[in-house]
């Protein structure tokens, strides 16, 4: 790919994607909203891309920007360079010690024949042709790539992957994923009362709050089933609730929520506002609805 900076690549890819979808001139604000950057910064970078012949512009109220044919050639085989911490390659569900230096997407214009070339470091003898692998999310584009190893070359330190799925995780705040009102339980509720509340609301878990609305724990249908299996039909919520509660700020990114769910092996997070008060729950299902097709890429 042409020697573009990570920010130039990000803006160019966003512009191409928007133009492909909308079939009209794109405003700098539209690009800024997609990549979550200041519009002034986007305009400055667009000027540099225009100088390189990658973007055309039209002035006026109905004007904007559009990619040139040269832009499509440039992004045909994009190179994604991981920044800061290098990405790990996962074999199945297990993280390997293979680290990724560069990612080159081959023939991106043909989704039925996508291949990815990885420049890596680590022991490639642990991989063989046919192994299922996964990597990502990548910086900037936030891609998650899943596929099968087609070729592994120890000498050149390269791996070729036949891509089965490639998904970009959107930049979305957690508060925008909360789909239902917050349902709370009290520690003195019986499990029967709690189960009725959960059933009526069509949910599988809820936070347990104290007299001062402080978070005491969380109770799920799995906890209730366990109690009934043990024959404790008269138990209270406080007897079976989990006291370790994993929370997340309503202003955090969906990617932060995914990472927390993976680290703590949980399917739901209590969402807190700026004052530390519980305002909702974000579940794995909420995230999967926002990112169509991610089910098979989820690491439990």
């Amino acid at each position: 790919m042409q020697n573009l900076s990570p920010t130039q690549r990000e803006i160019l890819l966003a512009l191409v994607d928007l133009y492909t979808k909308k079939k009209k001139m794109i405003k700098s604000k539209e690009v800024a909203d997609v990549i979550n950057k200041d519009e002034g910064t986007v305009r400055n970078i667009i000027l540099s891309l225009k100088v390189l012949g990658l973007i055309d512009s039209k002035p006026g109220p109905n004007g904007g920007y559009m990619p040139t044919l040269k832009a499509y050639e440039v992004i045909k085989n994009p190179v994604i360079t991981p920044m800061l911490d290098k990405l790990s390659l996962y074999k199945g569900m297990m993280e390997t010690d293979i680290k990724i230096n560069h990612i080159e997407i081959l023939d991106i214009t043909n989704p039925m024949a996508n291949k990815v070339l990885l420049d890596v470091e680590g022991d490639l003898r642990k991989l063989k042709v046919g192994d299922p692998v996964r990597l990502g999310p990548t910086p900037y584009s936030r891609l998650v790539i899943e596929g099968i190893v087609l070729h592994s070359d120890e000498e050149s330190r390269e791996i070729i992957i036949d891509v089965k799925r490639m998904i970009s995780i959107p930049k979305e705040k957690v508060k925008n994923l909360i789909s239902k009102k917050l349902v709370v339980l009290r520690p003195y509720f019986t499990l029967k009362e709690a189960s009725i509340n959960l059933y009526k609301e069509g949910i599988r878990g809820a936070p347990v709050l104290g007299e001062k609305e402080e978070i005491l724990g969380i109770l799920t249908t799995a906890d209730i089933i366990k109690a009934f299996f043990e024959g404790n039909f008269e138990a209270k919520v406080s007897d079976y609730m989990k006291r370790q509660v994993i929370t997340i700020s309503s202003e955090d990114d969906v990617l932060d929520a995914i990472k927390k769910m993976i680290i703590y092996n949980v399917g739901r997070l209590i969402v807190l506002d700026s004052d530390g008060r519980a305002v909702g729950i974000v579940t794995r299902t909420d995230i999967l609805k926002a990112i169509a097709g991610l089910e098979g890429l989820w690491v439990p």
Side-chain angles (χ1 to χ4, degrees), residues 53-73:
L54 300 175
I55 290 177
D56 280 335
S57 63
K58 177 183 176 182
N62 298 320
Y65 303 97
M66 63 178 288
T68 64
L69 290 177
K70 183 179 178 182
Y72 285 98
E73 287 298 317

